[in-house]
Amino acid sequence: TVMRSATSFINKGILHNDFKRYGWMGMVYLLAWLSAVPLQLMMIYSRPEIIKVHYTASTYLRVFEFSNSPVSLFLLLIAPVLAGLLVFRYLQTGKAADMEHSLPIRRETLYNTHLVSGLVLLLVPVVITALLTWAMVTWLRIDFVQGQDILNWLEVALTANLLLFSSTVAVGMITGM
């Protein structure tokens, strides 16, 4: 028989606690993305036929451009930084850091667990938004929006979330106690 390692990459208790404490942020992030992308497409689609005659592909594709949507740009820039600050906030206060580090959990396991919880809170809402947008575009038969457009939006959103979250965590680790 093979002997299994007793240490784990993440701690399920800490992960569960992070989801209880910061799950609201993931839900707000999901609702904000749903209002920024699929709801905008639905609003464009539901306009009267007289107005829709003048619509082109750029009318629909403008929803997927971050530079044209201040809400999307705000979500893309602020949420990952906020997630990094919240999940690793314990490092900035002495008593909280002492309490977390006194647990019988290795520091790298704490780090990995908080990192995973932050990434789940950020990436899952973006993926759900892309899937719901794709389902809506398919169901409504909006021919101007292709699957590749949604995938391009998803790629930029995921990359920006990963970059900004990891940068925030790195800065937090350097400036933490």
Side-chain angles (χ1 to χ4, degrees):
T1 62
V2 176
M3 192 166 167
R4 299 177 76 183
S5 174
T7 60
S8 176
F9 177 70
I10 61 171
N11 182 290
K12 291 178 186 176
I14 299 291
L15 189 66
H16 181 69
N17 189 37
D18 279 353
F19 288 148
K20 280 192 330 189
R21 290 175 69 193
Y22 308 116
W24 62 269
M25 192 198 72
M27 295 303 293
V28 169
Y29 195 46
L30 174 63
L31 291 174
W33 273 123
L34 290 177
S35 67
V37 179
L39 183 63
Q40 293 297 319
L41 288 174
M42 182 67 83
M43 289 169 58
I44 293 170
Y45 180 80
S46 64
R47 290 187 180 156
E49 292 297 324
I50 295 170
I51 298 172
K52 283 205 284 192
V53 170
H54 303 291
Y55 284 179
T56 61
S58 66
T59 306
Y60 285 96
L61 295 179
R62 211 171 289 136
V63 173
F64 297 103
E65 295 175 5
F66 296 104
S67 59
N68 288 335
S69 173
V71 173
S72 294
L73 194 58
F74 180 77
L75 286 172
L76 202 61
L77 296 176
I78 299 302
V81 174
L82 182 64
L85 289 173
L86 285 176
V87 172
F88 287 95
R89 185 173 154 218
Y90 74 94
L91 290 174
Q92 305 304 323
T93 56
K95 289 183 181 182
D98 291 343
M99 193 280 303
E100 286 265 343
H101 290 154
S102 70
L103 295 171
I105 302 167
R106 295 176 58 189
R107 288 184 182 201
E108 66 186 66
T109 303
L110 275 174
Y111 173 77
N112 292 335
T113 304
H114 290 304
L115 194 66
V116 166
S117 68
L119 289 174
V120 167
L121 291 172
L122 287 172
L123 302 183
V124 168
V126 173
V127 171
I128 289 173
T129 301
L131 290 173
L132 287 176
T133 303
W134 175 78
M136 187 189 75
V137 164
T138 304
W139 180 58
L140 295 176
R141 294 189 181 116
I142 301 175
D143 296 329
F144 294 123
V145 179
Q146 303 296 318
Q148 188 62 43
D149 300 321
I150 297 170
L151 284 176
N152 289 341
W153 175 86
L154 179 64
E155 179 184 8
V156 170
L158 290 177
T159 304
N161 273 305
L162 285 170
L163 177 68
L164 290 170
F165 180 72
S166 61
S167 298
T168 303
V169 170
V171 169
M173 290 291 124
I174 293 169
T175 62
M177 298 179 85

